Every structure is written in C-alpha cells, then in structure tokens.
Amino acid sequence: MGRFAPSPTGRMHAGNIYASLVAWLIAKSQGGKMILRIEDLDRDRSKEDYISQVMRDYEMLGFTWDEGPYYQHNRDEAYEQAYRKLEAECGVYPCFCSRSDLKAAASAPHLGEKWVYVGTCKHLTEEERAVKSLDKNPSYRLIVPDETYSFVDQVQGAFSQNLAYECGDFLIRRADGMFAYQLAVTVDDGAQGVNSVVRGYDLITSSPQQMFILEKLGYPAPTYAHVPLLVNQQGKRLSKRDKDASIDLMLETFGTVEALMGHIAYVGKIIEREEAVTPSDLLECFDMKKYAHRVMDEVGRLEPIIWQ
Ligand code: GLU
C-alpha cells in the first residue's frame, strides 16, 4: 500500500506532482494500492478550499487512489494513544527551547532544516521544569537510543542514521498540544497499512526516526524510495513561490494535462523522450531499476533535477 500524503497549504507545483507520480508508479508497478491522506495536521494552514483543490488537482492529473481520503484533523485519539505508548516505552520530556523549533515540528523537516538536538532540556530537575512552565508551555521530546536505523532505499541504496548522534531527541508534540509531523505521519502509516513510502529526498533523514516510532508501536517498517528534488535555477527546492512551476501556469504553458505530465516525466527522467502521456501510459513502461539508475550520477549520488 502506497500513499499520497499532500499537505493542503496551496496548489500543487511541479515538485509535488513529480513525487506523487513516482509514488503512484512504484505502488502500481509493484501491484500495490494507493491511499490518499490529506495531511491537515496544522489546522490553521490547511484551509477547506485547499483541501478540495488538492483533491481536484490529483483527479485532473489522472492519479487514482483506492482508499481514502483520510485526514489527520480527526485522528487526535490515535495520536494520543501512540504518544502514551512511546512515553511509557522510551520516555518523553518537556522542552522549553525556542519558538523556531516548535514551529518546525509541525511540518515535515525538509533538507537543511534538520539539526541535532543536544538535549538541553533533558536533565532539568522537576523544580526547574515547574519554574519554566510558569513562563511558557513546553513542547515534548521523545528520548532516542544510541542506535543506528538503516534501510535500503529503492532509489539511492543504503542509508543509515544513528538516532542519538545524528538526530537527537525529537519533538513529538508541540507546545500548543498539537502532535508533531513525525508522530502523526508514522501513526497513520502504521494504522493504514502503508508499506511503501515514496517522497522527496529532503525527507530521507526523517525515515530513521519514523522507523524507530513504528518499531515501538509494533508496526513493520515500510520500503522507502526517496526521489530527487526538483529545484529552481538557483538550486532551491521548488516551492509555491516558484510561480512558473505552479500547476495553473504550467497548464497554460503546456496546453494539456498530458503534455504537462510528459514534460515532468521527461525532466524527472522517468521517460527518455518528451511526449504527451497519462500516468497510466507511464505505468506501461515504468521500470524501477532503470529509473533509479538514471537519477543517480556516476558516483552513485542522487542529483537534484533543475526544473526548466
Ligand atoms: N505532507 C508532507 C509534505 O507534503 C509529506 C510527508 C511525507 O511524505 O511523509 O511535505
């Protein structure tokens, strides 16, 4: 079971479309199903309009799903239960560190946004915690072991991370009570039977954390495939600010959905010649091994793809 997991914070852009396309192709070429999960954990940023828009975009692009849409806004009970289990098994502590890390916890940490938490708040005494609590509500960190989590990524090969030294205790609940991305996404993947996670390369450093949570909750780890990022001419990950990669403008430029899909598939090295295609056409010729080979450079590194 694969998944589309869009955060409904605006229209789709070329980068989202590309990652969704590869996720769909991998799941379908391996005989799997897809679920659609709207990641509306952050209720302030997930407007009702964006949710219906993102679903219309998926449909228009020819992406089909077999289950869902599931949501995150109504899953607090499941997240709470998982939180309690993790607290009992691994330990959790309140963290009073700055606002910027609290903010970062709600959304997926994209490449370059990850840093190792050095455990500043881990050894506070009960008294110190009580004093600090008078000033601000804490967020909560999950204590990680000195253990290395490894997997073989379907695109880029072996990847591993020592949780204590390359990640540190990480946030699973924000100061406002909202559960963090790492917890919610993992609880959902486990409960929804997701066994194939395909997403942008910028989330690869989250996978060991998610494997750790899955293990503690008694779920098996999925297979992972982290696909190259589409970047703009300045080498930055495409975002909603790159207007020429926005779905509306691209449709104007390319005229049809199929021409747009063909361009994304060509730039993204899924096909070797640019032509108008649907996701189903691509499925007929999709070959995971050849694709993985094309997106790696000669020394086995995954290169970002410049959007043009
Ligand atoms: N909802 C996340 C995003 O759109 C993706 C999370 C994931 O694939 O784990 O950035």
Side-chain angles (χ1 to χ4, degrees):
M1 178 78 80
R3 72 217 233 312
F4 294 124
S7 300
T9 54
R11 294 293 302 269
M12 291 180 89
H13 58 70
N16 312 131
I17 299 174
Y18 177 60
S20 301
L21 175 60
V22 183
W24 188 87
L25 289 171
I26 292 181
K28 294 288 161 185
S29 65
Q30 296 174 355
K33 291 188 169 176
M34 279 308 266
I35 65 164
L36 173 65
R37 181 172 72 230
I38 305 288
E39 303 218 315
D40 56 349
L41 188 64
D42 190 336
R43 281 153 227 188
D44 295 340
R45 292 181 67 213
S46 310
K47 308 252 174 345
E48 201 49 56
D49 287 354
Y50 289 153
I51 295 179
S52 41
Q53 188 63 65
V54 100
M55 287 184 11
R56 281 203 298 275
D57 286 347
Y58 271 93
E59 275 168 1
M60 175 184 66
L61 291 163
F63 295 140
T64 52
W65 57 90
D66 307 280
E67 274 185 37
Y70 297 123
Y71 296 88
Q72 292 190 318
H73 71 258
N74 51 6
R75 298 267 299 145
D76 274 358
E77 219 175 283
Y79 302 150
E80 181 77 42
Q81 254 181 36
Y83 180 93
R84 296 282 160 230
K85 193 159 185 200
L86 293 171
E87 186 177 36
E89 287 217 4
C90 316
V92 162
Y93 60 86
C95 172
F96 300 88
C97 293
S98 82
R99 206 175 154 66
S100 50
D101 20 306
L102 307 186
K103 252 171 123 187
S107 48
H110 296 287
L111 214 63
E113 293 171 3
K114 182 157 174 146
W115 42 273
V116 180
Y117 184 68
V118 292
T120 320
C121 289
K122 187 171 184 179
H123 301 294
L124 295 177
T125 63
E126 278 312 315
E127 219 172 20
E128 285 167 326
R129 283 178 184 157
V131 172
K132 282 182 182 281
S133 297
L134 296 174
D135 272 350
K136 75 194 277 192
N137 289 329
S139 51
Y140 289 87
R141 287 186 184 274
L142 179 63
I143 298 177
V144 299
D146 176 4
E147 268 171 38
T148 299
Y149 281 76
S150 311
F151 59 92
V152 178
D153 190 275
Q154 288 192 72
V155 177
Q156 70 120 49
F159 185 84
S160 59
Q161 187 177 73
N162 179 289
L163 288 185
Y165 296 104
E166 295 173 274
C167 171
D169 301 334
F170 62 90
L171 293 177
I172 55 171
R173 192 165 204 170
R174 303 200 326 180
D176 59 7
M178 191 196 289
F179 293 99
Y181 158 78
Q182 301 292 5
L183 180 103
V185 85
T186 313
V187 170
D188 286 348
D189 280 344
Q192 290 158 6
V194 170
N195 58 13
S196 162
V197 169
V198 180
R199 54 189 170 195
Y201 180 68
D202 53 344
L203 286 172
I204 197 164
T205 56
S206 289
S207 296
Q209 282 158 268
Q210 295 175 11
M211 287 171 80
F212 169 59
I213 296 184
L214 285 168
E215 180 187 281
K216 295 298 160 201
L217 297 179
Y219 294 116
T223 57
Y224 291 102
H226 291 87
V227 304
L229 291 184
L230 297 194
V231 297
N232 62 21
Q233 303 287 340
Q234 288 73 45
K236 287 237 163 64
R237 180 169 65 98
L238 287 184
S239 76
K240 312 225 151 92
R241 283 184 294 275
D242 293 292
K243 293 283 176 269
D244 56 341
S246 75
I247 192 163
D248 276 338
L249 218 96
M250 290 191 301
L251 281 172
E252 249 174 60
T253 311
F254 291 96
T256 64
V257 175
E258 291 76 20
L260 166 62
M261 195 53 82
H263 185 70
I264 292 178
Y266 172 68
V267 172
K269 302 185 181 175
I270 297 170
I271 46 178
E272 287 175 297
R273 196 163 47 87
E274 183 163 349
E275 59 185 325
V277 285
T278 62
S280 302
D281 296 333
L282 293 169
L283 183 57
E284 281 172 28
C285 59
F286 183 71
D287 181 320
M288 183 67 214
K289 281 218 171 76
K290 282 190 189 149
Y291 166 71
H293 187 71
R294 280 199 291 265
V295 295
M296 305 294 279
D297 67 11
E298 327 66 73
V299 288
R301 272 183 325 216
L302 195 64
E303 286 289 317
I305 290 173
I306 299 172
W307 173 250
Q308 49 205 349

